[in-house]
Amino acid sequence: MNHSPPPPPLGLPVVHIVDDEAAVRDALAWLLRTRRLLSHPHDCGEAFEAWLEGHRAALLGAPACLLLDMRMPGGMGGVQLFERLIERALTDVLPVIFLSGHGDVPTAVAAIQRGAFDFVEKPFSDNALVDRIERALKRSRGGLERGRLHTALQKQLAELTEREREVMQLVVDGRPNKLIADALAISVRTVEVHRARVFEKMGVRSAVELANLLREQTG
């Protein structure tokens, strides 16, 4: 079986707040503290981008979501920051909840169609907002865990020899050892050896487990 050490456990969830108004950031941080949630305030989109540049590993090490003000005067707006997160393929591990005024609702709906997690119209209910945040953090955790599984799978696949990959594909196709041997012009015994090595390197006990692993992680 594969004995690669497991990745370190995910850290505590963090809610990033991007809003140009200090009073709003402080109020949201207080609300989150009352629900035992960590927060990290940023006063503009540029500030969050600067944080992101230096803390990419931290972002991938703990569930997180982003409370993002849709309208921030001057500099980068909320929608522009959101588009940059899409370009970096981060919205799965960093779900975005837009904070929008009444006039921003059509824009917020369009953002959801682009992959934003949700939007909350101001003034908002504290309970409703926290409920959305908790769901967003759950999605983030799922995205991080899928990413870790995918990375582990790619590492396992990279350890296979070319011949082991050929045998693996035929095993997944459901062919018995005799037909695999015929297809590759090798002995049945050699197929058995390669098959056993594939199972060991991939950390599975059967062809069914192997097929399920590849299907789940490669879509």
Side-chain angles (χ1 to χ4, degrees):
M1 302 293 288
N2 190 290
H3 297 293
S4 299
L10 293 174
L12 294 174
V14 179
V15 181
H16 292 274
I17 304 167
V18 178
D19 196 296
D20 62 300
E21 296 185 40
V24 174
R25 296 195 303 272
D26 291 345
L28 288 170
W30 177 84
L31 171 63
L32 293 168
R33 281 197 301 273
T34 66
R35 307 304 175 89
R36 299 185 179 180
L37 288 171
L38 299 177
S39 65
H40 191 153
H42 311 267
D43 60 9
C44 61
E46 291 86 350
F48 179 76
E49 273 212 317
W51 178 89
L52 186 59
E53 287 298 325
H55 298 84
R56 176 83 180 227
L59 182 65
L60 298 178
C65 72
L66 177 60
L67 292 182
L68 179 57
D69 188 19
M70 185 153 278
R71 289 186 183 271
M72 291 180 283
M76 185 187 304
V79 174
Q80 185 180 0
L81 175 57
F82 175 61
E83 292 293 337
R84 295 198 182 187
L85 295 176
I86 292 176
E87 292 171 3
R88 298 179 184 185
L90 289 176
T91 55
D92 191 37
V93 297
L94 183 69
V96 174
I97 299 174
F98 277 108
L99 303 178
S100 67
H102 178 69
D104 299 323
V105 170
T107 305
V109 171
I112 288 179
Q113 293 172 342
R114 292 275 289 137
F117 182 77
D118 207 343
F119 76 92
V120 178
E121 189 176 353
K122 303 174 184 176
F124 49 78
S125 157
D126 288 352
N127 289 335
L129 177 59
V130 172
D131 285 346
R132 286 175 168 87
I133 289 170
E134 289 177 342
R135 290 198 296 270
L137 292 172
K138 183 177 181 180
R139 174 181 288 186
S140 174
R141 179 177 293 277
L144 291 171
E145 290 173 347
R146 287 191 297 274
R148 287 182 167 203
L149 289 173
H150 179 74
T151 297
L153 176 63
Q154 295 307 309
K155 182 178 179 181
Q156 290 170 313
L157 291 172
E159 293 176 354
L160 299 178
T161 65
E162 183 177 352
R163 179 63 85 187
E164 287 167 353
R165 283 174 174 267
E166 292 174 337
V167 170
M168 179 183 71
Q169 185 57 60
L170 294 173
V171 168
V172 170
D173 288 344
R175 299 197 195 184
N177 289 349
K178 177 65 170 64
L179 293 184
I180 295 174
D182 292 343
L184 299 178
I186 56 179
S187 70
V188 172
R189 177 56 185 159
T190 300
V191 171
E192 292 171 348
V193 171
H194 286 314
R195 183 186 183 112
R197 287 176 178 169
V198 168
F199 284 9
E200 180 179 9
K201 290 180 179 181
M202 298 302 294
V204 299
R205 296 181 177 85
S206 69
V208 172
E209 281 189 39
L210 179 61
N212 288 339
L213 175 66
L214 296 175
R215 182 174 60 252
E216 291 170 2
Q217 294 304 313
T218 62

